[in-house]
Amino acid sequence: MPDLPGLPRPLPESRAIDPFIVMDVMGEANAREAAGEDIIHMEVGQPATPARRAARERARTALERERLGYTEALGMPALRERIALYMRERYGVAVGPERVVVTAGSSAGFVLAFLAVFEPGAGLGLPSPGYPCYRQIVKALGLSPRLIETSAEGRWMPTAADVDRLAAANAAGLLLASPNNPTGTMALGGRLGELAAACRRQGLWLISDEIYHGLEYDAPADTALNHSDAAIVVNSFSKYFSMTGWRIGWLVVPEALVRPIERLAQNLYISPPAISQVAALGAFDGLEELEAIKAGYARNRTMLLEELPRAGLDAILPADGAFYLYADVSRFTDDSEAFAKTMLRESGVAVTPGIDFDSARGRRYVRFCYSGAEDAMREAARRIGAWLKPK
Amino acid sequence: MPDLPGLPRPLPESRAIDPFIVMDVMGEANAREAAGEDIIHMEVGQPATPARRAARERARTALERERLGYTEALGMPALRERIALYMRERYGVAVGPERVVVTAGSSAGFVLAFLAVFEPGAGLGLPSPGYPCYRQIVKALGLSPRLIETSAEGRWMPTAADVDRLAAANAAGLLLASPNNPTGTMALGGRLGELAAACRRQGLWLISDEIYHGLEYDAPADTALNHSDAAIVVNSFSKYFSMTGWRIGWLVVPEALVRPIERLAQNLYISPPAISQVAALGAFDGLEELEAIKAGYARNRTMLLEELPRAGLDAILPADGAFYLYADVSRFTDDSEAFAKTMLRESGVAVTPGIDFDSARGRRYVRFCYSGAEDAMREAARRIGAWLKPK
Ligand SMILES: Cc1ncc(COP(=O)(O)O)c(C=O)c1O
Ligand SMILES: Cc1ncc(COP(=O)(O)O)c(C=O)c1O
């Protein structure tokens, strides 16, 4: 980087990380909206709904009655217990509350887990396409991302052979997201167990990003904890629980990691947001509201899997979960960023170019997020159809 | 670290960071309280009061009306503007809102600033005694802490000569906290300008932790921005604004750093908590409530500076700001951790051993935090007096 005027010394070259492009797209979409344009948001991966009522009620009561100071670094004991219970209810897995770490979103969970288990410079296997922040967090923390090219034919999931290759290349862990972002695909048919076994055999950490659990449209997702005691599970209230802006999530870690992670959390975060922890306690009170939201996503998914192919976007896997479709747009472009920009400008629909998730092959893909209101999603499909027609 | 049973590989030796001892003390104090003991908290550096009413009102309205999703990574534009205005109102310094970065507490501010400006391995000067997390964050991020021994005679502040020594030893920056934690002392009488000039002359980054600004009992604290355009200012709503658990703070950075920090923030945090940003907007609406709280701290300070010496703790500097007194307890012990534990057990007053802030000399010091209610602080002084008497 050039020596910038007025700075005491040049900025570090080694730290230059890529932007998280979806956030830039959101910025432009918001600016257009503020300027009066009618924009449909399919770019940012967040629910259109607020946190459920019981969560907001708890937050309101806390606002009136509690000081909302720093909490324990690992999170409020009552929330850790409630999460442990949820793990049992949902997956039938027995996890003691002492193994649950409440975090400021799964974003904080990754930082804590990576710092706790990896030496500086250690290699971490990251399936590609994948959530872009993994790569950047890994780089910012001085670790080494080892991209694993997955394929549409393999439903964008890594294999046990990939784990063997990681080990041969001296990597120290594998990060798996199932359902995956941006593809929505899952490790089904025994794949999760195979990956866990391969990691165990090869002595690799398995870090399982389960943030899209709860949002599956066919087979329910299983937790890595049912396949490995040593797995590190990363989860969050952001997606299924519809609480993105609250910045609250959790880890389940092997007991030996609790104290190292506590020390890191004390020093790097002090504690997760208190009001969000209180709200999260309410997020579990009966899940019907969340299931109703999910049913809306399911209808959006069905509708888009019909309408987008009609508009010419016929190379889309019928994703198993999350609220994403990853569409091959190579019929139209080999520059997905320009394609997305033009789509936003000309049709008012914001989507994310694939390069955010896969810097090379992503030039031929865009990601649609269908967490919006059903009307808006239907209108988006109509606009995209009209926009693509003359091409 | 030993190879722990059941883990795929040993935990990284290089990552072993010290615990943040005050959090452990708080844990024990809370456990005793839960078991029915009557504990007075003078250990954790947080206000006993909740966020001010206007902040909580805004949060309540947002709970009802807003989605509270991810915000822009740099923070909501309205909050960045309000903070820029506050900087002008408070210090007379002109800072454009584009230079303001909203963060998840100053804790996140340090991570973002350090990663944005320092190469891996770079040395950062940290005055000692100082806030323990600096050291641990620096280590966790692969940077190198360079401790600067300050002295009670020098009011625990570094000097321009220290900056020269840092530069000679190839360090890349200085972190200054004024008022300081744990000592409450400030860089007065032109010291701030001298340090800023020395950093400029030597090409070092100056990172100014201004989190205790607003809490001064004599001369008001000046911002480093009045002495250097290149200074990185770290601030927070935690202390003066009484919002610790909300995890919300801000940075003011040179314009050239905004984009690098935005990228880091997008990837490492996505955004600061939305409800906390909304609440923070309300935190500025008339500061009388906060001034009343501060007047209570001032009374506690005056009372303790009378009572603690009577109890035998006569080696305390009359700190200029924050809500701490750092007492030399070498008349009683050279093991401040044991001393604090015994005090907690026998008198029910929780304080923090100095080793949290200064691993060697801190064995002869403890920190008192006087942000509690006036009655409780008075009772604490009484208990400590009674407890020390027979010794
Ligand atoms: C796969 C995946 N993991 C993690 C995250 C981070 O979410 P949060 O920090 O809100 O929990 C996201 C957000 O989009 C994601 O898509
Ligand atoms: C000197 C100093 N800086 C920073 C912090 C971190 O505060 P927060 O992350 O709540 O803004 C503290 C907290 O005690 C502190 O004492």
Side-chain angles (χ1 to χ4, degrees), chain A residues 123-354:
Chain A
L124 175 60
L126 300 175
S128 174
Y131 178 53
C133 300
Y134 301 143
R135 223 160 56 225
Q136 309 301 341
I137 296 172
V138 161
K139 280 204 268 176
L141 298 181
L143 306 173
S144 161
R146 303 281 174 83
L147 297 184
I148 302 168
E149 273 211 2
T150 59
S151 68
E153 299 70 51
R155 297 191 72 72
W156 305 111
M157 283 292 131
T159 63
D162 289 321
V163 175
D164 294 339
R165 274 188 288 272
L166 279 178
N170 251 319
L174 169 70
L175 194 147
L176 176 75
S178 164
N180 186 36
N181 174 7
T183 63
T185 50
M186 283 166 55
L188 295 173
R191 180 67 60 89
L192 182 59
E194 288 160 31
L195 290 168
C199 284
R200 187 169 37 243
R201 193 174 62 241
Q202 297 283 10
L204 294 198
W205 288 100
L206 173 60
I207 298 176
S208 178
D209 181 352
E210 304 188 350
I211 187 171
Y212 290 107
H213 282 207
L215 299 178
E216 310 95 355
Y217 305 104
D218 192 2
D222 195 7
T223 176
L225 294 171
N226 272 330
H227 302 276
S228 167
D229 286 339
I232 296 176
V233 162
V234 183
N235 211 323
S236 173
F237 291 92
S238 286
K239 311 293 173 165
Y240 176 60
F241 295 95
S242 196
M243 294 179 68
T244 50
W246 295 77
R247 312 313 300 120
I248 188 84
W250 74 89
L251 294 171
V252 181
V253 301
E255 212 160 320
L257 287 186
V258 173
R259 188 69 178 141
I261 287 184
E262 180 174 29
R263 292 177 180 197
L264 286 161
Q266 287 170 344
N267 283 289
L268 290 171
Y269 297 92
I270 304 186
S271 78
I275 193 166
S276 306
Q277 293 186 64
V278 172
L281 264 173
F284 295 105
D285 296 356
L287 301 175
E288 317 76 38
E289 253 179 73
L290 300 177
E291 289 299 316
I293 294 171
K294 174 173 158 184
Y297 299 154
R299 287 190 295 272
N300 288 344
R301 171 174 172 274
T302 306
M303 181 275 294
L304 288 170
L305 285 174
E306 261 171 40
E307 297 299 329
L308 291 178
R310 272 192 210 144
L313 295 168
D314 48 8
I316 303 180
L317 286 186
D320 315 296
F323 33 52
Y324 303 117
L325 293 173
Y326 196 55
D328 183 337
V329 292
S330 54
R331 266 181 57 187
F332 302 97
T333 187
D334 62 357
D335 179 352
S336 56
E337 192 171 5
F339 182 80
K341 275 195 180 143
T342 315
M343 187 191 292
L344 174 59
R345 202 175 321 122
E346 296 181 358
S347 80
V349 178
V351 300
T352 307

Side-chain angles (χ1 to χ4, degrees), chain A residues 9 11-12 14-15 20 24 46-48 67-68 70 115-116 118-120 136 203 245 247 259 266-267 269 274, chain B residues 9 12 14-15 20 24 46-48 67-70 115-116 118-120 136 203 245 247 257 259 266-267 269 274:
Chain A
R9 44 176 64 211
L11 294 179
S14 58
R15 299 288 196 197
F20 185 11
D24 290 338
Q46 67 177 330
R67 175 171 61 154
L68 297 171
Y70 296 130
L115 286 176
F118 296 125
E119 292 283 357
Q136 309 301 341
R247 312 313 300 120
R259 188 69 178 141
Q266 287 170 344
N267 283 289
Y269 297 92
Chain B
R9 43 176 66 213
S14 58
R15 298 289 196 197
F20 185 11
D24 290 338
Q46 67 177 331
R67 175 171 59 154
L68 297 170
Y70 296 129
L115 287 176
F118 297 125
E119 292 284 359
Q136 309 301 342
R247 314 311 300 121
L257 287 186
R259 188 71 179 137
Q266 287 169 344
N267 283 291
Y269 297 92

Side-chain angles (χ1 to χ4, degrees), chain B residues 143-168:
Chain B
L143 306 173
S144 162
R146 303 281 175 84
L147 297 184
I148 302 168
E149 273 211 1
T150 59
S151 69
E153 299 70 51
R155 295 191 73 74
W156 306 110
M157 283 291 132
T159 63
D162 289 321
V163 174
D164 294 340
R165 274 188 287 271
L166 278 177

Side-chain angles (χ1 to χ4, degrees), chain A residues 96-136:
Chain A
E98 70 288 348
R99 288 178 55 198
V100 175
V101 178
V102 181
T103 59
S106 69
S107 300
F110 295 118
V111 171
L112 292 171
F114 295 170
L115 286 176
V117 304
F118 296 125
E119 292 283 357
L124 175 60
L126 300 175
S128 174
Y131 178 53
C133 300
Y134 301 143
R135 223 160 56 225
Q136 309 301 341

Side-chain angles (χ1 to χ4, degrees), chain A residues 70 270, chain B residues 45 104-108 110 131 134 177 181 209 211-212 235-236 238-239 244 247-248 324:
Chain A
Y70 296 130
I270 304 186
Chain B
S106 69
S107 300
F110 295 119
Y131 177 54
Y134 300 144
N181 175 5
D209 180 352
I211 187 171
Y212 290 107
N235 211 323
S236 173
S238 286
K239 312 291 172 165
T244 50
R247 314 311 300 121
I248 188 83
Y324 303 118

